[in-house]
């Protein structure tokens, strides 16, 4: 989507507005540098504030806005959030134009956010939170944290959560406009945090309700074209999914919700003996489906998929041998405590689904998370996947950007070591380019030595050479989950 100059640099430059972090309940405890990623953000947000180009040179032709979303409310007084997934969402916008970068961050003003801010305490139940019995829950949007991802659709920025409505935001100011209703009878229907956009702009997404899964088809202009339902056979944890140019692929991992009561993480049971089931759906006729079987794996994020001429489907994902990310929920990190886990990390893996027979895994051996692909190749054959990789002693999170080449089975990697926590990076094609690797990789990180958040830009042709440009804020903002480039 092409943005106007207002959409890119709107809101102006403010050198000092809302930059200081909110008063901390941790004043008597010296927090490690990485705790900046889990510190509660100011209630009024950040900026708009200019970022400083501290390394390299701004790439000519890089123009647009990086949006990101993630939890940013972790304590009220001395009460800590009990799960990272349940913190109120804050959407960030980094507008890049003419070599300048401007950061804005705003909390999404959900019902949960408004009530808890008024009470100055945690109230709502959630994925890992019991909640206060006095908190009235009439539907999913009463507990909606709007904290997971973002989608640009029909000129609106949507803040996404996986168990309720998308929330509409002004794409420049990030002012909350309210929940998105795609159709009157779908009001409050879950809208997953991982929609998929075809190269032509059409968007597909799921809405999960137990074993019933809704399928949204949304036009490039942001209008709902169709909605259907499928039965996936079990109330599996479905955070992400994938698609080819002709098929939707729902990965039904054997992590099953058996009780559906808060904290919901306690309701899930890991059943590896059942393996992973794959539901493949025809985009043109949602009633045309087939199933495939795969080895048991847990996952949170896919890269993308494509279909070959003989009907074979290939997809990549960050697979775990068992559910690990949800366990513990980051509660220790929120308190400033970290002990390196012995649990195995996710491994970038390709899953091959033949037209008949069981699916097979090819594990690259590259540990990492948040896989992303070139948006021009989404659903089509491609060669590369970028992900947050690496790790260093005493640092909870990725420290590297790695671009994996599926043809050569090698990774082009730049690792900051213990100086940075590196977040998800996105492909941004260079203007006029068609080569998959003729792109920038853009994402965020926390510079642990400086104590500030940064925006990094790599050339996908030479990742190991390090960032082409680094813009640094005068402050840090909390670590997030997912973003988009517009």
């Amino acid at each position: 989507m092409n943005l106007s100059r207002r959409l890119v640099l709107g809101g102006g430059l403010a050198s000092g507005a809302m930059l200081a972090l909110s008063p901390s309940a941790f004043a008597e405890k010296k927090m490690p540098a990485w705790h900046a990623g889990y510190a509660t953000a100011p209630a009024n947000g950040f900026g708009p504030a200019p970022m400083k180009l501290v390394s390299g040179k701004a790439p000519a032709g890089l123009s647009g806005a990086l949006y990101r979303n993630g939890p940013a409310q972790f304590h009220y007084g001395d009460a800590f959030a009990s799960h990272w997934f349940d913190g109120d969402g804050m959407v960030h916008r980094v507008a890049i134009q003419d070599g300048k970068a401007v950061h804005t961050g705003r909390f999404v003003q959900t019902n949960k956010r408004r009530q808890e801010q008024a009470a100055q305490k945690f109230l709502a139940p959630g994925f890992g939170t019991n909640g206060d019995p006095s908190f009235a829950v009439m539907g999913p949007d009463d507990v909606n944290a709007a904290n997971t991802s973002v989608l640009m659709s029909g000129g609106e920025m949507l803040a996404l959560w996986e168990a309720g409505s998308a929330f509409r935001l002004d794409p420049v100011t990030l002012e909350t406009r309210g929940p998105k209703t795609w159709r009157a009878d779908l009001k409050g229907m879950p809208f997953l945090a991982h929609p998929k956009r075809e190269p032509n702009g059409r968007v597909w997404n799921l809405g999960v309700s137990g074993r019933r899964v809704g399928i949204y088809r949304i036009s490039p202009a942001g209008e709902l074209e169709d909605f259907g339902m499928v039965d996936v056979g079990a109330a599996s944890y479905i955070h992400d999914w994938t698609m080819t140019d002709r098929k939707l692929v729902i990965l039904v991992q054997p992590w099953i919700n058996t009780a559906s009561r808060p904290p919901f993480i306690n309701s899930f049971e890991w059943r590896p003996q059942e393996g992973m089931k794959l539901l493949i759906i025809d985009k043109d006729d949602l009633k045309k489906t087939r199933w495939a079987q795969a080895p048991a794996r847990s996952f949170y994020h896919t890269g993308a998929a494509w279909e070959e001429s003989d009907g074979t489907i290939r997809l990549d994902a960050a697979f775990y041998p068992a559910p690990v990310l949800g366990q513990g929920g980051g509660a220790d990190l929120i308190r400033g405590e970290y002990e390196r886990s012995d649990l195995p990390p996710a491994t970038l893996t390709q899953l091959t689904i033949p037209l008949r027979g069981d699916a097979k895994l090819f594990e690259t051996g590259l540990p990492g998370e948040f896989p992303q692909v070139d948006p021009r190749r989404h659903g089509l054959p491609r060669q590369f996947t970028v992900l947050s990789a690496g790790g260093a002693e005493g640092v909870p999170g990725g420290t590297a950007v790695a671009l994996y080449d599926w043809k050569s089975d090698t990774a082009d990697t730049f690792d900051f070591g213990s100086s940075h926590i590196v977040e998800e990076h996105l492909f941004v094609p260079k203007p006029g380019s068609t080569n998959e690797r003729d792109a920038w990789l853009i994402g965020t990180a926390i510079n642990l030595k400086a104590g500030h958040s940064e925006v990094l830009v790599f050339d996908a042709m030479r990742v190991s050479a390090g960032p082409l440009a680094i813009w640094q804020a005068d402050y840090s903002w909390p670590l997030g989950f997912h973003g988009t480039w517009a």
Side-chain angles (χ1 to χ4, degrees):
M1 174 180 292
N2 293 323
L3 301 187
S4 67
R5 188 174 180 86
R6 171 183 175 269
L7 194 54
V8 174
L9 284 180
L13 301 181
S15 61
M18 294 178 284
L19 301 188
L21 293 177
S22 58
S24 174
F26 315 118
E28 296 180 2
K29 178 180 179 180
K30 182 172 175 59
M31 289 293 175
W34 56 258
H35 188 262
Y38 302 89
T40 293
N44 291 329
F46 298 99
M51 300 180 72
K52 184 188 305 181
L53 185 65
V54 295
S55 178
K57 182 180 179 181
L62 179 63
S63 179
L66 173 67
Y67 294 89
R68 282 186 54 77
N69 193 358
Q73 181 75 45
F74 299 108
H75 71 86
Y76 284 104
D78 293 325
F80 297 86
S82 55
H83 203 290
W84 191 29
F85 291 4
D86 294 334
D88 292 336
M90 172 172 274
V91 173
H92 301 269
R93 175 179 181 268
V94 179
I96 298 175
Q97 178 92 20
D98 300 329
K100 299 177 181 179
V102 181
H103 171 248
T104 305
R106 295 285 182 271
F107 277 103
V108 186
Q109 297 300 315
T110 63
N111 173 67
K112 171 186 183 298
R113 172 74 182 168
R114 291 195 303 269
Q115 292 202 43
E116 292 182 343
Q117 281 285 289
Q120 284 296 290
K121 63 180 181 179
F122 296 109
L123 296 170
F127 187 70
T129 306
N130 275 314
D132 190 309
S134 68
F135 187 81
V137 180
M138 306 302 292
D141 284 341
D142 288 324
V143 298
N144 193 333
N147 68 2
T148 311
S149 191
V150 284
L151 171 70
M152 183 69 83
S153 177
E156 289 182 318
M157 174 53 56
L158 302 179
L160 309 180
W161 187 59
E162 64 190 31
S165 302
F167 265 73
R168 300 176 296 118
L169 308 179
D170 182 284
V172 174
T173 67
L174 304 182
E175 177 186 2
T176 303
R177 293 172 172 170
K180 174 74 174 180
T181 300
W182 296 98
R183 202 170 68 193
D185 60 319
L186 298 178
K187 185 177 181 178
M189 177 71 185
F191 189 80
L192 212 63
H194 285 283
K196 309 299 178 187
R197 192 188 300 273
E198 295 177 345
N200 65 9
R202 176 173 284 112
V203 171
W204 295 79
N205 201 14
L206 307 183
V208 180
S209 180
R211 58 185 288 170
R212 300 279 289 168
V213 175
I215 299 174
Y216 296 84
R217 192 181 78 207
I218 300 164
S219 75
E223 301 294 331
L224 182 68
E225 294 180 331
D226 196 14
F227 180 86
M229 297 287 292
V230 294
D231 188 332
V232 298
S236 171
Y237 181 69
I238 300 176
H239 175 74
D240 199 358
W241 60 289
T242 190
M243 71 179 186
T244 73
D245 59 338
R246 300 190 304 157
K247 300 290 195 298
L248 311 175
V249 184
I250 302 177
L251 293 76
V252 184
Q253 62 181 311
W255 197 25
I256 309 301
N257 190 328
T258 60
S260 192
R261 58 176 177 266
F264 293 102
I265 190 170
N266 291 346
S267 301
F268 283 89
E269 180 182 333
W270 178 242
R271 300 174 180 174
Q273 69 278 7
E274 297 181 10
M276 179 184 289
K277 297 176 174 60
L278 310 165
L279 179 58
I280 300 150
I281 306 165
D282 194 303
K283 283 182 174 178
D284 293 332
D285 185 350
L286 302 184
K287 295 179 180 178
K288 290 183 178 179
T289 64
R290 68 180 176 94
W291 286 90
Q293 184 73 36
R297 292 292 187 275
S298 180
F299 81 103
Y300 298 91
H301 304 117
T302 66
W306 72 85
E307 186 174 0
E308 297 178 347
S309 58
D310 64 355
T312 297
I313 293 174
R314 298 186 188 275
L315 64 90
D316 54 4
F319 278 154
Y320 298 82
V324 295
L325 191 60
Q327 297 177 0
D332 289 344
L333 300 175
I334 291 168
R335 289 173 169 82
E337 302 164 1
Y338 173 63
E339 183 176 342
R340 194 171 183 88
S341 173
D342 292 331
L343 294 170
T347 299
L348 182 63
T349 303
Q350 187 173 101
L351 183 67
T352 301
I353 311 169
L355 198 56
R356 295 175 183 82
D358 293 346
K360 294 180 174 57
L361 300 177
F362 169 71
E363 296 179 334
T364 65
L366 177 64
E369 255 289 4
F370 306 116
Q372 290 288 327
V373 307
D374 183 344
R376 298 169 297 185
R377 308 300 304 167
H378 207 120
L380 303 173
R382 62 185 163 79
Q383 187 174 346
F384 298 100
T385 302
V386 65
L387 70 163
S388 172
E393 188 67 31
V395 178
T399 59
V401 175
L403 184 68
Y404 193 81
D405 184 334
W406 291 102
K407 287 188 177 179
S408 65
D409 294 332
T410 60
D412 185 11
T413 303
F414 182 84
D415 198 328
F416 288 92
S418 60
S419 69
H420 285 65
I421 297 177
V422 175
E423 300 190 90
E424 174 188 81
H425 275 59
L426 306 175
F427 275 85
V428 177
K430 296 178 182 178
S433 69
T434 56
N435 185 318
E436 187 180 346
R437 204 169 179 180
D438 196 10
W440 296 294
L441 305 176
I442 185 167
T444 49
I446 296 180
N447 183 323
L448 300 180
K449 292 184 177 180
H452 298 163
S453 291
E454 295 180 338
V455 173
L456 315 175
V457 182
F458 291 83
D459 189 330
M461 292 283 192
R462 301 178 297 277
V463 177
S464 58
L468 293 173
I470 300 176
W471 282 280
Q472 188 180 93
D474 290 334
Y475 47 91
S476 64
W477 59 79
L479 295 168
F481 292 133
H482 304 292
T484 192
W485 175 262

